[in-house]
Amino acid sequence: MLPLRALRADGNKRGRLYISITQSPVVAVHPALPRRIDDSCLRFHDHPSSRREGGGSNPRPPPRPGGLPMALHKGKKAALYGDDAEPGAPSHATGHVPPWREQLTLRGLLVSAAVGTMYSVIVMKLNLTTGLNPTLNVSAALISFVMLRGWTQALARLGLAVRPLTRQENTVVQTCAVACYSIGSAGGFGSYLLGLNKKTYEMAGTDMEGNVGTKEPGLGWMIGFLLAVSFVGILALVPLRKILVIDYKLTYPSGTATAVLINGFHAPQADEVAKMQVNGFTKYFTISFVWSFFQWFYSGGDNCGFSQFPTLGLQAWKQSFFFDFNLTYVGAGMICPHLINISLLLGSILSWGIMWPLIADMKGSWYSTDLPESSMKSLQGYKAFICISLILGDGVYNFGKVMLKTIWSILDKSKQNNAKKEEDILALDELHRNEVFTRDSLPNWIAILGYFALSVAAVITIPLIFPEMKWYYAIIAYILAPALGFSNAYGSGLTDINMAYNYGKIALLILASTVGKEHGVIAGMVGCGMVKCMTSISADLMQDFKTGHLTLTSPRSMLIAQIVGTAMGCVISPLTFFVFYNAFDIGNENGPWKAPYALIYRNVAILGVQGSSALPLHCLQLCYGFFAFAVVANLMRDFLPRKYGKWIPLPMAIGFPFLVGASFAIDMCVGSLIVYIWHKIDRSKAVHMVPAVASGFICGDGLWIFPASLLALAKITPPMCMAFDPTY
């Protein structure tokens, strides 16, 4: 037995505890803890000299309410649960942890495939309509729990033996599902891959200098490309996961929020809340699905149906200001912060309410009257390039900010580690989580060897798919990938901002300008896809590792789930895309399936090849102004006092409606209004029910896309057209 000093809650030394170690490392224990711990690795004893004569032991103080103290922190201060405890890791998370093999189950794989497919459809719809991708991790965790719980309860009612559902299995299923549908957003189906097709080429202007090269979507080459680039991002940072999650203690807010939800599902006395959430999700899922089915009957033509209902009048409708009854965006608005939704509405008013009507009046002066509105030399050019300038301004600022914060934080961590005192005492829960997180690690040599092998395969494969992308550019990308992935994963852990799209755009501009006019557009967009996939998947993996760390889930089981989910996504996402691509008019700027980012990415590539001569008259000056506005707005958010800075709108969100229109922003503001009123009426219930209701709205409307697509492929059209025309 080894003596181990402990601290009281007030920081004073109090006695000694003795610990017999069988397998686990030494941990610090608060003297107020019960001596019996449900962990086979640890056994606690009182010191023999402290026992009473006759074999009795001194009475120990009763445990504090609320379970185990969460931290006995550094120096002389001991923090208990509720003060400096790490979010998402309640005391009940300790105890028996199933082996990693038991965390991977057949039912979990089936549920992951179902959830991943459902959310792939939802993400694909978002990509091909507005390009907006809200964070759906928490929603996916909720749906995973609903399906797993329904599975176990159904088998139990049939009298069959069923393995209990654990938080670890729930986490593994959520990880696999998120990895699956994340390919839909990182894979470029609404941006750089779609931007290669002929329709986007024509929309960018066939006479546009530098606009050279097309490649039509194909199931085979898309699956091959995704398989070549996606797995590299998984293995790039595996050797660094302990540094990011344990040593640097990065928060990864989305991963922590998911862990809070999962731990809440499996907490003692959580059945009532879970039952309420499951019932709420089921109810609003049904309402959303039935409503989408009902709307279909009235959409038998162009500009028909409830999605074109002029709720604010016909003049407003012509400028896309109307509520289109799209419950997917109402649900997304319930999930997104109020400031994002307000910024979207401000951007809609600024662009479609003020700027585009004014610029349209300059037709004949600023651009030729002979040009169609869709030409990049006419009004469409102003829409596209001003939107790009806002996105780039916001991206460049945040890129620089995150990089500086990353460098500063790493230097600060190094100073803290050098100054660390030997008597620092960590929390029992924290050490237990760290031990679980490092116990089943993948050997670094396997990760490095796998990364090298996958990189070689990609360097050979990608030039075969895209001859414009030379092999030496691919080698440079994979040499830089670990550094870029680490930078993005570290920044995501600090700020919860996944900067993959910015890394991708930087690669796009550099490659397009380097390769030149003949092949610059194609090579730039392919290189953009490689960098974006690698950096995005690396950051997502670390978010999931943070969730696993807080739910005591084996990193080995999570890594396997990530690999399986990514493999499923590389097949499911292209299949889903082709259902949409064949059923709907994707890329039609006058329809609901605008896919705006395909045109944006191609225009960025043209800008890299050609320079500012690609812009229409006075567009460059407007772009400078909006780029500066994005930087200044971010500076004000960061440097003004919090009570003022929190009201500054987000430039990235302001830019979204510039190409897409205002209707989806109104939908999301309706979602925000629902949340605001609900919190005012019953805050405690709203906290638990908003994610469930939002998920029901999103999943019900998203699931209807499948039968709607099949009906469209079968040439079955809605029987009625509900449309509105002025009477004068």
Side-chain angles (χ1 to χ4, degrees):
M1 292 190 297
L2 302 174
L4 184 68
R5 183 176 61 187
L7 299 179
R8 291 177 47 161
D10 58 6
N12 297 323
K13 298 178 183 178
R14 177 177 177 176
R16 290 188 178 186
L17 292 176
Y18 284 74
I19 176 170
S20 299
I21 304 175
T22 58
Q23 297 174 6
S24 293
V26 175
V27 296
V29 186
H30 195 277
L33 288 176
R35 299 297 188 263
R36 188 176 182 85
I37 303 292
D38 291 331
D39 192 324
S40 59
C41 297
L42 302 175
R43 299 185 183 92
F44 297 97
H45 309 271
D46 288 313
H47 189 279
S49 63
S50 66
R51 301 195 178 167
R52 290 181 178 177
E53 296 181 10
S57 62
N58 289 324
R60 65 176 183 269
R64 294 180 62 91
L68 296 175
M70 283 298 296
L72 296 176
H73 269 295
K74 302 173 181 178
K76 295 184 178 181
K77 182 178 179 181
L80 298 183
Y81 179 71
D83 297 329
D84 295 332
E86 187 171 10
S91 57
H92 63 264
T94 59
H96 173 68
V97 178
W100 68 270
R101 289 183 178 86
E102 294 182 9
Q103 299 173 19
L104 296 163
T105 61
L106 178 60
R107 71 182 179 193
L109 180 63
L110 295 175
V111 169
S112 299
V115 175
T117 301
M118 180 187 300
Y119 275 83
S120 293
V121 174
I122 294 167
V123 167
M124 199 64 67
K125 178 186 176 182
L126 295 172
N127 280 335
L128 298 177
T129 50
T130 64
L132 180 68
N133 278 308
T135 301
L136 298 172
N137 292 30
V138 172
S139 177
L142 172 63
I143 306 308
S144 301
F145 174 75
V146 169
M147 297 184 72
L148 288 168
R149 183 185 175 97
W151 181 303
T152 55
Q153 288 181 342
L155 292 181
R157 289 193 181 98
L158 294 174
L160 300 176
V162 60
R163 175 182 292 176
L165 175 60
T166 64
R167 75 185 73 245
Q168 288 80 17
E169 184 181 0
N170 202 162
T171 303
V172 167
V173 170
Q174 183 264 346
T175 298
C176 188
V178 170
C180 179
Y181 75 73
S182 292
I183 298 297
S185 57
F189 297 100
S191 55
Y192 55 87
L193 290 187
L194 184 61
L196 298 172
N197 74 344
K198 186 177 179 181
K199 178 180 282 190
T200 309
Y201 160 77
E202 292 173 347
M203 289 173 63
T206 55
D207 58 344
M208 177 74 73
E209 186 180 358
N211 183 23
V212 179
T214 63
K215 189 174 182 67
E216 290 301 306
L219 189 61
W221 73 257
M222 282 185 162
I223 292 176
F225 175 76
L226 292 174
L227 289 172
V229 302
S230 298
F231 292 97
V232 178
I234 296 176
L235 296 178
L237 294 190
V238 167
L240 303 176
R241 63 182 176 81
K242 178 179 178 293
I243 295 174
L244 292 168
V245 175
I246 295 178
D247 295 344
Y248 289 161
K249 299 186 187 339
L250 298 178
T251 56
Y252 288 102
S254 292
T256 299
T258 306
V260 169
L261 186 69
I262 293 174
N263 280 329
F265 288 149
H266 300 272
Q269 300 176 348
D271 285 346
E272 289 302 317
V273 173
K275 184 178 180 181
M276 181 174 65
Q277 289 177 319
V278 170
N279 291 339
F281 168 79
T282 306
K283 175 182 176 181
Y284 288 97
F285 172 88
T286 305
I287 291 173
S288 179
F289 184 86
V290 171
W291 172 245
S292 299
F293 175 55
F294 175 75
Q295 286 188 86
W296 177 82
F297 285 96
Y298 298 90
S299 57
D302 295 334
N303 297 326
C304 295
F306 286 91
S307 62
Q308 298 293 325
F309 196 98
T311 45
L312 302 177
L314 285 171
Q315 287 301 317
W317 174 81
K318 290 178 181 178
Q319 297 297 330
S320 74
F321 284 94
F322 57 92
F323 177 63
D324 64 4
F325 297 92
N326 190 321
L327 294 185
T328 293
Y329 287 107
V330 174
M334 295 175 70
I335 292 174
C336 290
H338 296 312
L339 184 62
I340 289 180
N341 299 327
I342 293 172
S343 299
L344 289 170
L345 186 60
L346 288 175
S348 301
I349 295 170
L350 177 63
S351 56
W352 292 88
I354 300 174
M355 290 181 58
W356 304 158
L358 290 176
I359 293 177
D361 290 340
M362 303 303 294
K363 188 173 184 178
S365 175
W366 284 18
Y367 58 94
S368 173
T369 56
D370 298 330
L371 292 172
E373 190 175 300
S374 59
S375 171
M376 282 295 111
K377 293 290 187 179
S378 67
L379 181 61
Q380 186 68 16
Y382 294 95
K383 294 178 181 179
F385 288 111
I386 293 174
C387 176
I388 290 170
S389 67
L390 268 173
I391 293 172
L392 286 178
D394 187 86
V396 167
Y397 177 86
N398 281 291
F399 179 80
K401 171 186 168 182
V402 170
M403 290 299 294
L404 288 174
K405 193 171 183 179
T406 298
I407 295 169
W408 176 261
S409 180
I410 291 173
L411 294 174
D412 189 54
K413 292 289 183 184
S414 300
K415 293 177 183 178
Q416 290 181 12
N417 291 337
N418 292 334
K420 189 175 181 181
K421 298 181 180 179
E422 292 182 359
E423 62 267 19
D424 288 351
I425 301 177
L426 295 175
L428 168 65
D429 280 358
E430 185 175 353
L431 283 172
H432 184 50
R433 291 194 302 273
N434 292 351
E435 191 272 335
V436 171
F437 191 71
T438 56
R439 184 170 55 200
D440 295 324
S441 29
L442 182 73
N444 289 343
W445 68 269
I446 294 180
I448 294 170
L449 186 63
Y451 179 83
F452 178 77
L454 290 172
S455 299
V456 171
V459 168
I460 295 172
T461 304
I462 291 175
L464 294 177
I465 301 173
F466 302 99
E468 298 88 351
M469 184 68 180
K470 302 302 180 183
W471 60 269
Y472 40 86
Y473 291 124
I475 288 178
I476 293 172
Y478 284 115
I479 290 174
L480 296 176
L484 296 175
F486 176 82
S487 174
N488 190 39
Y490 195 101
S492 177
L494 292 172
T495 65
D496 206 31
I497 299 174
N498 190 334
M499 302 292 291
Y501 58 90
N502 279 318
Y503 288 101
K505 287 190 182 74
I506 292 170
L508 172 57
L509 284 168
I510 292 174
L511 268 176
S513 60
T514 302
V515 175
K517 293 182 179 180
E518 187 175 355
H519 301 303
V521 170
I522 301 293
M525 286 196 284
V526 173
C528 165
M530 294 171 62
V531 172
K532 184 179 178 182
C533 268
M534 289 185 291
T535 53
S536 177
I537 289 171
S538 295
D540 290 341
L541 178 62
M542 287 303 146
Q543 291 276 9
D544 290 334
F545 272 146
K546 181 66 175 182
T547 303
H549 179 247
L550 296 174
T551 56
L552 295 175
T553 305
S554 166
R556 184 174 297 180
S557 64
M558 294 192 68
L559 188 62
I560 293 172
Q562 183 83 16
I563 292 171
V564 172
T566 301
M568 290 193 301
C570 289
V571 177
I572 291 172
S573 290
L575 288 172
T576 306
F577 169 76
F578 270 94
V579 171
F580 282 86
Y581 194 72
N582 293 321
F584 306 111
D585 187 12
I586 304 298
N588 181 1
E589 61 185 17
N590 297 317
W593 304 94
K594 295 180 176 66
Y597 275 85
L599 184 60
I600 287 175
Y601 273 71
R602 189 166 189 108
N603 280 322
V604 171
I606 294 170
L607 194 62
V609 170
Q610 189 180 349
S612 60
S613 60
L615 305 177
L617 187 65
H618 300 305
C619 188
L620 181 62
Q621 291 80 1
L622 289 170
C623 288
Y624 284 149
F626 278 93
F627 186 96
F629 165 76
V631 174
V632 171
N634 277 295
L635 286 170
M636 293 173 68
R637 284 182 55 80
D638 288 338
F639 291 100
L640 284 178
R642 174 64 181 164
K643 61 181 180 179
Y644 302 119
K646 67 180 181 180
W647 299 107
I648 304 298
L650 300 169
M652 180 75 74
I654 290 176
F656 271 117
F658 275 50
L659 265 180
V660 179
S663 60
F664 86 100
I666 294 174
D667 295 343
M668 295 188 69
C669 285
V670 169
S672 226
L673 183 63
I674 292 171
V675 173
Y676 178 79
I677 294 174
W678 200 346
H679 274 265
K680 288 293 183 182
I681 295 173
D682 189 349
R683 183 178 182 84
S684 60
K685 186 175 181 181
V687 168
H688 296 297
M689 290 302 296
V690 163
V693 173
S695 300
F697 281 155
I698 292 171
C699 294
D701 187 52
L703 190 62
W704 167 249
I705 293 295
F706 264 135
S709 302
L710 295 176
L711 290 170
L713 290 172
K715 307 300 181 183
I716 299 175
T717 58
M720 292 175 280
C721 172
M722 182 177 69
F724 298 86
D725 290 313
T727 56
Y728 55 90

